[in-house]
Amino acid sequence: MSLPPFHLAFPVDDLAAARRFYGETLGCDEGRSSEEWIDFDFHGHQIVAHLASGGAGDRASNHVDGHGVPVPHFGLVLGMEEWRALADRLKATGTEFVIEPTVRFKEKPGEQATMFLRDPAGNALEFKAFADADQLFAK
C-alpha cells in the first residue's frame, strides 16, 4: 500500500530546541526553514515547526488501556524493529516519556507497542508498532 505523505504544521516556542529535538534526537532531516519555521522529513512526511509561543502542549487526556493519553498528539506507526530501535535510542538519550514504551491491548485486537513523549515545546508524540500490521484498524 502506497500512502501519500501528509503535512502537519504545529507550534513551538523555540526553533533551536525544535531543531535539536526533531533533527538530532529523532533523526529527521531538515528541509527549508526561515526565522519563523522549519520543515522536517518525518519518515517521508512533511512536518513543520512554526514559532508560535503559547500554542503547544496538550489540552486534555483520554483514558486508553490504563494510561492517560495526551490530546492532541501525532506520531508514526513504525515497523516493530524500527520501533524497538527508536525506544532504545530515546532511552539512551535520557528522554522523559509521558508513557514509557509498553504493549497495550495485549492479546486483543489491535495489540500494539506504543510510547509517548513530548518535544521541547510540550507537543505530545506517539510512536507505535504492531507485531501484525493487519491489526492497524482491527475492531
Side-chain angles (χ1 to χ4, degrees), residues 26-47:
L26 294 184
C28 298
D29 289 334
E30 185 174 323
R32 295 167 295 150
S33 65
S34 77
E35 292 181 5
E36 296 181 357
W37 53 268
I38 305 170
D39 284 348
F40 293 100
D41 179 346
F42 194 59
H43 293 255
H45 303 285
Q46 183 191 47
I47 61 172

Side-chain angles (χ1 to χ4, degrees), residues 64-126:
V64 179
D65 199 36
H67 294 103
V69 171
V71 178
H73 67 267
F74 68 94
L76 290 171
V77 179
L78 303 170
M80 190 60 76
E81 291 307 312
E82 192 176 10
W83 182 88
R84 286 186 183 118
L86 179 60
D88 291 345
R89 178 179 175 176
L90 293 170
K91 287 178 185 177
T93 64
T95 297
E96 183 178 325
F97 292 94
V98 175
I99 298 174
E100 294 280 335
T102 189
V103 175
R104 67 177 173 207
F105 308 126
K106 285 187 180 188
E107 300 177 12
K108 296 178 184 173
E111 178 177 316
Q112 59 195 259
T114 187
M115 61 183 141
F116 283 80
L117 55 138
R118 294 189 188 282
D119 72 8
N123 295 299
L125 290 89
E126 178 185 18

Side-chain angles (χ1 to χ4, degrees), residues 7-38:
H7 165 82
L8 174 71
F10 58 96
V12 298
D13 56 6
D14 182 333
L15 286 178
R19 181 173 273 124
R20 284 189 303 276
F21 178 79
Y22 289 96
E24 296 172 19
T25 302
L26 294 184
C28 298
D29 289 334
E30 185 174 323
R32 295 167 295 150
S33 65
S34 77
E35 292 181 5
E36 296 181 357
W37 53 268
I38 305 170

